[in-house]
Amino acid sequence: MTTIARKRLYELRQREERRFVSDHPRSAELYERAKNSLVDGVPMNWMKKWPGAFPLFAARAKGAHFTDVDGRDYVDLSLGDTGAMTGHSPEAVVAAIAKRVREGITLMLPTEDSLWVGEDLKRRFGLPYRQFALTATDANRFAIRIAREITGRPKMVYHYCYHGTVDESLVSLQHGVVGPRRGNIGPPVNPAETTRVVEFNDLNALEDSLERQDVAVVLAEPAMTNVGIILPDQGYWQAARELTRKYGTLLIADETHTICAGPGGCTKEWMLDPDFVVFGKPIGSGIPGAAYGCTEEVARRISKRLAVEDCDVGGVGGTLAGNALSLAAMRVTLEHVLTAEAFKTMIPLARRFNDGVAAEIRKNALPWNVVQLGARAEYHFSERPPRNGAESAAFADFELERFLHLYALNRGVLLTPFHNMALMCPATTAADVDLHTQIFAAGAAELAA
Ligand SMILES: Cc1ncc(COP(=O)(O)O)c(C=O)c1O
């Protein structure tokens, strides 16, 4: 197996850093100016994580491509970390939201689109009832609150994960001890008070955690996607579901990223049977929107507890949630963009990405692997795919990741800044994927030389 020489990695990275700076004078200029009015020169703290001395400033995006302010074109495999899994600004969406913008954006009243979206999500995921939010974070937060309310239990549990800025989930497990996740900014309480944490794919740990019967809900992605892709073992979810039932704990399937598995996410593909399904980000092609669905039983139990007089101050809400524009964007996205037909081209493209990268890994004898989940694929710096969060985190290599991302960016391909994920949208082409494969091949060969 090839060992990456750190000195060589450092030198190659310095070379790529210089190229990045000289290729992007306009982004450099805007970044300097941004430092005067934006904290650290970025609109969001995580934009610091892009490789290179400063973030690229985007000018426009369409389909699977975008152009930066220096006039360079890129294949976008990050797709707004799934927010643009629909491709950027699909024509049908542009037309529908332009119409809705002219006809009223937010009213506090339902529009007919909400019914269409509710009915479509019911067809996709199978859970009969839903409510809306503006972000997947909020949808998770609201589902957790409802689970706590109806079970009367204070604790929740989830696996080493990311579910947005939900306080209870910004937590980690270090040598068996639960505490705030590294980088957690100002946690309101020590999350050990609110959350149990177990490793993915570990049924014994899950049972240990549930058997005291004080856990309201398990919040989980059906396959983990935020520490690389981690697939569940065969039969894991069936057994985990039995355990949650046995101990009276509810289950939230957060399909925000795993919607890449198909039009009904992993819930439909793998016949999961959760109590809640959460779906945000691409549901409105990037127009803020999210939905959380629930079973008949959950709906009945929560409805019984809602008093009309207090239903606006219960901690589940948001003035703009379920607004007319958000629902119009969701409807057109579900009806015309994220269709079953679209997945028939997106999934084979992810397979093509996977196979291309796997061949280069083999050719260069690198101790890496690549995993596909529907329209998403991701390479890891370990010989075997990780089975849980701790394993995956142990193999993370920030320097190597940044080098490969910068190498790709300098040659016209954008990967997500958080790990090595590539996502396909309906407008992605085989040529887009092959461009990445060629660049990956060149980068891997330089590293292995
Ligand atoms: C699985 C999952 N759920 C929820 C969220 C939160 O989404 P948002 O930041 O749009 O609220 C994320 C964000 O990355 C996510 O990966």
Side-chain angles (χ1 to χ4, degrees), residues 139-215:
N140 278 323
R141 221 194 306 269
F142 300 156
I144 292 167
R145 286 189 84 112
I146 290 169
R148 284 207 192 99
E149 177 69 20
I150 62 181
T151 58
R153 296 174 176 187
K155 298 235 180 203
M156 55 157 281
V157 63
Y158 79 94
H159 313 278
Y160 200 109
C161 64
Y162 187 73
H163 295 283
T165 56
V166 178
D167 287 318
E168 295 93 329
S169 69
L170 293 169
V171 60
S172 72
L173 192 59
Q174 299 292 339
H175 311 294
V177 180
V178 176
R181 190 172 177 154
R182 204 176 78 198
N184 184 337
I185 300 169
V189 295
N190 182 345
E193 287 177 33
T194 59
T195 311
R196 299 235 179 92
V197 185
V198 296
E199 287 291 1
F200 201 57
N201 279 326
D202 185 341
L203 287 167
N204 289 335
L206 183 65
E207 180 148 26
D208 284 350
S209 176
L210 299 182
E211 68 190 356
R212 274 167 273 168
Q213 307 204 9
D214 61 352
V215 174

Side-chain angles (χ1 to χ4, degrees), residues 81 135-137 140 162-164 221 226 254 256-257 281:
D81 196 20
T135 63
T137 297
N140 278 323
Y162 187 73
H163 295 283
E221 290 187 279
N226 282 295
D254 180 355
T256 300
H257 280 182
K281 293 203 189 185

